[in-house]
Amino acid sequence: VQNAYQFVPWLFRAVALCAQGVSTLPFQILRGETVVDDSQAWLNAVGFMPNPKRLLWLIEASLQLAGRSYLFREKNRSGLQGLKYDSPLSIVPKIEPGGLVGFTRTTANGKKEMPADAYVYFWYPDALVELGPPTTYPAKAALAAANVLFNLDEFVAKFIKRGLIKATVLTVPSGTTDNEKKLLKAWWDRMFTGMKNAWQTFVLSGDVKPVQIGEGIENLENNELTTTKREDIAVALGVPQSLLFSNAANFATAQQDELHWLTKKVVPDAEFIAGVLNEQVFAPQGLTMR
């Protein structure tokens, strides 16, 4: 998933859209029915969230990519001072029959055992998991499709790098020795591969016949496979195609798609995140995030 997120633009964009949608949704912090702070004019009245939009962006992106997210509670003698986002790849929860008992945090400095209350933890719902991080989450569901697009891009990049030469078999007379074959292969690679040799002309002996195998990039144009895999990524992350692809719909359809995306994806994810923050952070302080 990490590799696909870094190198497949469609997955990167879908995750970014989800994170942007959640992080820009307006919210309030209340004590009872009294508004303590408001996202539109944030004053950090709670004292431990100086940049809530960045925090919400990271939480949502982490949930899409890993199905889990963790905020380290920075404390001093007076109480909670900050919520620091830590990579979900660096943290493993310790779960025993009685429930969650702690976390193991692994960094370049080694492993560190943390108590259960060290982190605010977000675990995407998974019907197959009773307690703990999910086994299935959006980016994992999109991974097969993302890998197809990644491999297609790799193929094109390597095809261009070798001078737009298709995979080739050289046929030689039956009496050719192994050493002569190696010399011929080395010469062929030196003369014909690489962009510096593209469009140049060389002469071969009549006894050596190049036979092309496989396909070139011309067969990838308007490929239904590429379109299908982009659609699979959009479906897995719950992002309408009209938001990912500029030519996917007309204006009216795009508007309806955006409303559907907000009500069926962004708002539910935001309410899930707010629910965790309320349960683990705000409620003990007599506050509510809405």
Side-chain angles (χ1 to χ4, degrees):
V1 169
Q2 185 177 9
N3 188 67
Y5 176 58
Q6 291 175 329
F7 296 107
V8 178
W10 302 100
L11 180 60
F12 178 88
R13 179 58 177 158
V15 171
L17 281 172
C18 293
Q20 289 165 6
V22 168
S23 66
T24 55
L25 208 63
F27 68 89
Q28 294 175 328
I29 305 296
L30 302 100
R31 189 180 301 278
E33 292 301 319
T34 303
V35 176
V36 174
D37 214 339
D38 187 285
S39 61
Q40 305 305 304
W42 187 252
L43 300 174
N44 192 24
V46 295
F48 51 81
M49 291 178 67
N51 193 342
K53 289 188 177 183
R54 179 179 184 275
L55 201 63
L56 292 170
W57 195 103
L58 290 169
I59 294 169
E60 173 68 3
S62 180
L63 289 172
Q64 300 309 301
L65 286 169
R68 60 199 188 276
S69 187
Y70 298 97
L71 303 179
F72 178 69
R73 301 177 193 260
E74 297 178 316
K75 298 179 180 180
N76 61 16
R77 292 182 179 179
S78 62
L80 185 62
Q81 294 298 301
L83 295 173
K84 174 181 170 290
Y85 173 82
D86 281 349
S87 168
L89 303 182
S90 69
I91 299 167
V92 176
K94 297 168 63 178
I95 299 174
E96 296 182 355
L100 178 69
V101 297
F103 300 92
T104 301
R105 159 93 156 151
T106 304
T107 65
N109 297 322
K111 292 185 178 181
K112 185 176 181 180
E113 301 300 320
M114 315 286 280
D117 63 352
Y119 282 99
V120 180
Y121 54 92
F122 305 78
W123 293 332
Y124 221 57
D126 186 341
L128 304 179
V129 176
E130 293 182 6
L131 177 65
T135 57
T136 304
Y137 41 89
K140 185 175 181 180
L143 184 58
N147 280 337
V148 171
L149 297 179
F150 174 78
N151 288 324
L152 286 173
D153 287 345
E154 281 279 281
F155 172 81
V156 172
K158 290 179 179 179
F159 184 69
I160 293 173
K161 188 175 181 180
R162 65 173 183 258
L164 302 176
I165 300 294
K166 294 180 181 179
T168 304
V169 172
L170 298 178
T171 63
V172 295
S174 59
T176 306
T177 66
D178 288 343
N179 187 57
E180 288 173 328
K181 292 176 183 178
K182 290 178 181 179
L183 291 173
L184 176 61
K185 180 182 182 303
W187 175 84
W188 177 269
D189 289 342
R190 186 170 65 253
M191 292 293 102
F192 289 92
T193 61
M195 281 304 297
K196 66 180 184 299
N197 293 318
W199 305 290
Q200 293 196 42
T201 303
F202 299 93
V203 178
L204 285 174
S205 165
D207 293 333
V208 178
K209 298 179 181 179
V211 179
Q212 290 184 337
I213 59 175
E215 302 293 345
I217 57 177
E218 70 276 1
N219 292 288
L220 300 180
E221 295 178 0
N222 300 319
N223 196 316
E224 290 186 7
L225 176 64
T226 301
T227 302
T228 300
K229 296 309 171 185
R230 291 172 179 174
E231 293 172 351
D232 287 347
I233 292 174
V235 169
L237 273 84
V239 179
Q241 296 174 41
S242 58
L243 297 184
L244 281 174
F245 322 133
S246 60
N247 61 343
N250 57 41
F251 179 72
T253 302
Q255 279 189 314
Q256 186 61 37
D257 284 349
E258 185 168 6
L259 179 61
H260 185 270
W261 173 64
L262 287 169
T263 57
K264 298 296 191 293
K265 173 65 177 180
V266 175
V267 170
D269 278 8
E271 290 181 338
F272 169 73
I273 292 171
V276 173
L277 288 171
N278 282 331
E279 179 183 6
Q280 299 184 35
V281 179
F282 292 117
Q285 303 185 40
L287 300 171
T288 303
M289 182 182 191
R290 182 183 302 165

